[in-house]
């Protein structure tokens, strides 16, 4: 988990509310990623960013939004449009070459009721 | 399209015995292959990767993996399992070519139980 922080660790929200998950890295990595993890489904990519002020949708971007105003930060907003937001959310970063492994944060468990 | 399969949801092994966690992949070009481990309520930790060269890759905590191009496999192995190896293991692939960009595709994960 070293070098990437996610806060908070646990988050509870009422249905219909937007919520923002924080991700900060001090690894000087250009690329950052958001994944969603559900039991038995592995990791699914929500958004990724290869450079500041640029990001691309992943496989399940609907109902989510991101920004990349600083190299160190890549916050994820879960909007009320996300139909099933309760999940474990993981942020990661890496160098920009395809050979580079990803470094993951400790995750945020979001529960929406 | 890229894909990764981990055919076993769970692997059980006795402490001291060798362990194998299986992974097969599909990419259009040459693969970059990764193994990660996840402990409960934690993020993933990188174990090892195959980029090119020697088919046997050594990684952290005594783990190794063997790349087999003809079988499109990248199985994770360890000669002697420890109880502390019990965790969730993910295989991942990235296409070395331009298709897929920087996306990494993860398998569904295999839970390893090592019994004392």
């Amino acid at each position: 988990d070293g070098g990437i922080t996610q806060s908070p660790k646990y988050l509870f929200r009422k249905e219909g509310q937007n919520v923002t998950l924080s991700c900060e890295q001090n690894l000087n990595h250009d690329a950052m990623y958001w994944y969603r993890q559900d039991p038995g489904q592995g990791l699914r990519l929500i958004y990724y960013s290869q450079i500041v002020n640029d990001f691309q949708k992943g496989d399940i971007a609907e109902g989510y939004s991101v920004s990349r105003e600083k190299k160190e930060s890549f916050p994820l907003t879960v909007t009320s449009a996300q139909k099933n937001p309760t999940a474990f959310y993981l942020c990661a970063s890496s160098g920009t070459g395809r050979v580079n492994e990803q470094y993951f944060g400790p995750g945020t468990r979001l529960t929406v009721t | 399209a890229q894909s990764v399969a981990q055919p076993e949801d769970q692997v059980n092994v006795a402490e001291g015995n060798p362990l194998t966690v299986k992974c097969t992949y599909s990419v259009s070009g040459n693969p970059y292959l990764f193994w990660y481990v996840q402990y409960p309520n934690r993020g993933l930790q990188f174990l090892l990767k195959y980029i090119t060269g020697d088919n046997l890759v050594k990684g952290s905590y005594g783990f190794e993996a063997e790349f087999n191009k003809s079988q499109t496999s990248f199985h994770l192995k360890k000669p002697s399992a420890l109880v502390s190896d019990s965790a969730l293991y993910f295989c991942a692939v990235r296409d070395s070519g331009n298709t897929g960009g920087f996306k990494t595709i993860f398998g569904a994960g295999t839970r390893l139980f090592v019994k004392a």
Side-chain angles (χ1 to χ4, degrees), chain A:
Chain A
D1 299 346
I4 299 184
T5 58
Q6 290 186 243
S7 61
K9 190 172 179 63
Y10 298 96
L11 191 54
F12 299 88
R13 280 294 183 271
K14 295 290 187 185
E15 194 173 320
Q17 293 179 333
N18 292 354
V19 60
T20 297
L21 281 59
S22 169
C23 177
E24 304 277 333
Q25 55 102 356
N26 63 3
L27 300 170
N28 200 33
H29 286 160
D30 285 311
M32 296 188 74
Y33 313 80
W34 273 105
Y35 293 94
R36 172 181 171 139
Q37 184 177 16
D38 295 285
Q41 295 195 42
L43 274 66
R44 292 184 289 168
L45 182 65
I46 305 173
Y47 270 97
Y48 66 104
S49 169
Q50 296 180 34
I51 198 168
V52 174
N53 292 322
D54 186 49
F55 48 84
Q56 288 79 40
K57 293 181 178 180
D59 299 316
I60 56 165
E62 185 175 351
Y64 300 98
S65 65
V66 293
S67 63
R68 187 84 188 276
E69 297 177 1
K70 298 188 300 181
K71 186 175 185 177
E72 303 80 16
S73 179
F74 191 41
L76 172 74
T77 297
V78 184
T79 76
S80 57
Q82 168 49 231
K83 294 187 179 355
N84 186 20
T86 295
F88 190 51
Y89 291 88
L90 287 163
C91 179
S93 71
S94 75
T96 49
R98 289 191 177 91
V99 302
N100 290 304
E101 63 272 20
Q102 294 177 38
Y103 292 79
F104 285 81
T108 292
R109 188 167 297 280
L110 173 64
T111 302
V112 177
T113 58

Side-chain angles (χ1 to χ4, degrees), chain B residues 4-5 9-10 19 27 30 33 47 52 54 74 87-88 101-102 105 116:
Chain B
V4 176
D9 291 336
Q10 183 171 311
L19 69 87
V27 295
N30 291 318
L33 293 155
L47 279 178
T52 187
D54 194 346
F74 189 55
L88 186 58
F102 285 92
I105 304 300

